[in-house]
Amino acid sequence: MKLILLGPPGAGKGTQAKMLVEHFGIPQISTGDILRGAIKAGSPMGLKAKEYMDAGALVPDEVVVGIVEERLQQDDCAAGFILDGFPRTLPQADALAVTLKTLDKELDAVISLVVDTEALVARLAGRRTCRDCGAGYHLLHEPPRKDGICDKCSGELIQRDDDKEETIRNRMEVYQQQTAPLVDYYRNLGLLSEVDGMMDISAVGQRILEILKA
Ligand code: ADP
Ligand code: ADP
Ligand code: ZN
């Protein structure tokens, strides 16, 4: 199963990717998570990426394309993978096509999660992430059992720097301008399925699994 999860910030890509990891036993490749890992590790790539991420802008294509190229060649991607947050621009989509061709792999599906802007802003504003294991929560929709504490590892739950109001607006604009064209790109390739991402988390997950079975 080789998939792309497409959708604006807060659409539920990460949440559904985690469900699919459990269901299919294939890895989630989140460029956002990889970049945040590089920032945490203080690597040169992380330092460079941080400026863009803090501003809610996209990290340059060559950086993320390099990350994904390398990641897709690892053994655990042999049976499939879930791309979460990549590609985000037309050049990234073209680069992915070239990489997959070289590796003799083909995409099975692109799932586009559709959520209205107001709901996205509320989801991002209420999103909390475990500092230690990266598990995701929402203050209202997916609250932890204990306030501020991760259910899985007891780590501290934090708000991402780029989930602050000013940055959220900018990320929405960047999505409209640079990423939204990918919906037509994959529709033209006959790969796109749109899913109503306004439903609750488990209903969205069910719908995705139905589509993948068909
Ligand atoms: P979200 O899940 O809210 O959409 P991500 O964790 O995917 O956010 O991405 C956070 C930030 O990381 C983005 O705003 C961008 O700066 C950077 N980033 C992640 N993936 C990409 C990508 N494919 N291309 C460029 N920048 C990226
Ligand atoms: P993305 O990776 O697309 O940026 P996330 O999966 O991180 O989005 O979800 C953003 C926030 O919204 C998280 O706090 C998550 O718990 C919550 N969320 C995800 N899916 C839903 C849903 N279907 N309904 C309500 N809240 C959701
Ligand atoms: Zn945790």
Side-chain angles (χ1 to χ4, degrees), residues 129-137 149-157:
T129 312
C130 174
R131 186 202 288 279
D132 296 330
C133 75
Y137 296 88
I149 307 277
C150 178
D151 291 352
K152 299 184 177 99
C153 79
S154 300
E156 184 193 354
L157 301 187

Side-chain angles (χ1 to χ4, degrees), residues 43-199:
S43 76
M45 181 180 80
L47 286 177
K48 192 171 163 205
K50 189 174 181 342
E51 287 172 43
Y52 296 96
M53 293 170 78
D54 283 348
L58 294 183
V59 174
D61 288 336
E62 60 273 20
V63 176
V64 283
V65 165
I67 290 174
V68 173
E69 251 170 28
E70 210 174 283
R71 186 67 189 83
L72 285 176
Q73 292 178 49
Q74 289 169 17
D75 293 342
D76 64 335
C77 294
F81 50 80
I82 303 147
L83 285 168
D84 158 15
F86 180 94
R88 257 178 157 96
T89 65
L90 289 168
Q92 289 179 22
D94 287 334
L96 175 65
V98 172
T99 303
L100 290 175
K101 198 157 187 206
T102 317
L103 296 172
D104 205 20
K105 290 180 199 286
E106 236 176 288
L107 287 172
D108 294 300
V110 177
I111 305 280
S112 169
L113 296 173
V114 184
V115 176
D116 66 47
T117 307
E118 248 173 82
L120 293 172
V121 173
R123 285 188 190 180
L124 293 176
R127 171 158 69 183
R128 295 294 182 273
T129 312
C130 174
R131 186 202 288 279
D132 296 330
C133 75
Y137 296 88
H138 189 280
L139 295 181
L140 302 174
H141 308 300
E142 219 188 349
R145 282 194 291 271
K146 261 196 242 159
D147 264 5
I149 307 277
C150 178
D151 291 352
K152 299 184 177 99
C153 79
S154 300
E156 184 193 354
L157 301 187
I158 53 170
Q159 183 174 35
R160 272 168 47 177
D161 284 340
D162 59 347
D163 279 347
K164 309 281 157 73
E165 181 117 21
E166 325 79 74
T167 322
I168 288 177
R169 297 282 163 200
N170 199 24
R171 287 162 64 207
M172 293 301 165
E173 232 162 82
V174 166
Y175 175 81
Q176 282 310 328
Q177 285 172 6
Q178 305 203 55
T179 309
L182 294 182
V183 173
D184 280 335
Y185 175 101
Y186 286 115
R187 185 181 286 122
N188 291 335
L189 291 173
L191 288 169
L192 191 82
S193 296
E194 288 187 299
V195 169
D196 176 8
M198 295 291 289
M199 300 182 293

Side-chain angles (χ1 to χ4, degrees), residues 16 19-20 111-113 193-214:
Q16 298 303 331
M19 178 279 290
L20 292 165
I111 305 280
S112 169
L113 296 173
S193 296
E194 288 187 299
V195 169
D196 176 8
M198 295 291 289
M199 300 182 293
D200 68 34
I201 292 174
S202 65
V204 174
Q206 295 245 318
R207 185 74 198 108
I208 293 175
L209 290 176
E210 275 168 27
I211 288 170
L212 296 179
K213 260 182 224 144

